[in-house]
Amino acid sequence: MAAEKAAKALETSLSGKGTDFTIADAAAKSGLPLRDAESGLHALLSEYRGHLRVTSEGELIFVFPSGFTKPWETRTRIKEALDATGRAAVGIGRFVVRAWISVVLVGYALLFLALVIGLAFARGSSDRDDRGLGSGVIYVIFRVIAEALFWTFHPFSPFAHAYYEPAHVHAPARARMRRGRDEKAPGFYDKVNRFFFGPDQPPPDPRAMEKKIIAEIRAQKGRIGLADVIRVTGLPRDEADPLMSRLMLDYDGSVEVSDEGGIVYRFEALRKTVEQAPRGVSEPARPAPIWYRKERLAPLTGNDAGSNLLIVLLNGFNLLMSLYVLGEGLTLEKISLLLQGVSELPADMGTPIALGLVPLIFSIALFALPLLRAAYRPFKERRLARENARRAVLREVLTRVGKAPITDGALVSAWKEATGVEPDSKEITREVVALGGDVEERDDGQVRYRFPDFEAEAAALEAEREAASVEEARVGKVIFSSEN
């Protein structure tokens, strides 16, 4: 019977009848054969975030703390909805910034500059009573703006983000152009985008974690434990446990329990390979442990100081000019009359919107974005520091289990090394408990931590790996090929 089908039968039979089950309990309550009950329980562990326990007799107990319900789904859905809303807001914001960049920054800056020049000419012509010059000034202003925008965002402009590839250029030349393009500095659009929203982060590989676990399995002769999974992924133990149940179903794994209660996950099928190992090396290299990868805070903008200064000056100029326009009440109608040399104007000609309110609101909003991100950075930095500290504690625990005493001083030093701050005793205790550790206070007052599950697991894995056959990795002699 397929594991999914067995899981559905078990869920129907076991619902409301407790939270802890042996394989025999599940078989008795559901009428399924033992092998189907076992595969179904592993599937349910993965789906309902259950845990696996081992008794002193070597019996497996499948524990479902929340029964066959998913109370975390509401929280998860709310979080996913908030994340989706946040991503959508950022996406819209990026689009707005990119779409309005020529208007809010360059366009408005040029408009305001042209306005200052035009009004200066208009006042000069008014003093000379040269009324015919106003229409010419208007033409010059818009011609300057059009030319400036064209050359600013023309594909050959250094400010342009897009790059032009002539159709008549042959493929090798286009390839060289692309290589040259990749080596160039970011375009002006990208720099503005970074200034307001921060550097773009590459999308994470959704299967990266699974790839690391499989690499660890192959490097460890197809036998791993929870400690190995935590070592390469950094997952909390309560997440690593159900994950292994899913991987057992996906990759034809099985679980073995030693006499001391150590749990070993076996994936013999994943060892098969046609790759030749280097001379003197029998197994692939292990993935680097998670504590080798430090979480670091991304730069605020990722731009050089000159680019940031240019963007600040442009946006600041727009902000000041919009305030001036609002203060003087320079509506488009009033500006037109001033450029024509009209000296006597109505007292109230409305509120400037196009050159007043719009650039003012956008300029304030654009300045607010990096300021808000800068204000949030200390909180993010503390969160990343705590994650690095957690990984440092993992390093001390997983590298010392079964080899050296795990003392409170060692964990405190590891935490302080990662964060630069002395940890609270509750933080250390919380991490130890999450890994299944016990506190042991010696007669001399020194506190040590024991991890019986990891110790039993390490001993069982050592025995299993020593007994693992090299033949498991070999695919055998080819007796037929479609090439012949």
Side-chain angles (χ1 to χ4, degrees), residues 195-196 297 300 367-382:
F195 182 85
F196 298 118
L297 191 64
L300 184 63
F367 270 140
L369 287 172
L371 291 175
L372 289 174
R373 290 195 302 107
Y376 180 67
R377 282 172 70 81
F379 300 97
K380 185 181 290 188
E381 192 169 15
R382 285 196 291 271

Side-chain angles (χ1 to χ4, degrees), residues 323-372:
L323 290 172
Y324 171 76
V325 169
L326 285 171
E328 296 294 325
L330 297 178
T331 61
L332 293 178
E333 182 183 2
K334 187 173 182 178
I335 291 171
S336 176
L337 293 174
L338 288 172
L339 291 176
Q340 294 176 29
V342 178
S343 57
E344 295 182 2
L345 300 174
D348 185 9
M349 301 189 69
T351 301
I353 296 178
L355 295 179
L357 288 178
V358 171
L360 177 64
I361 293 171
F362 268 97
S363 297
I364 292 174
L366 291 179
F367 270 140
L369 287 172
L371 291 175
L372 289 174

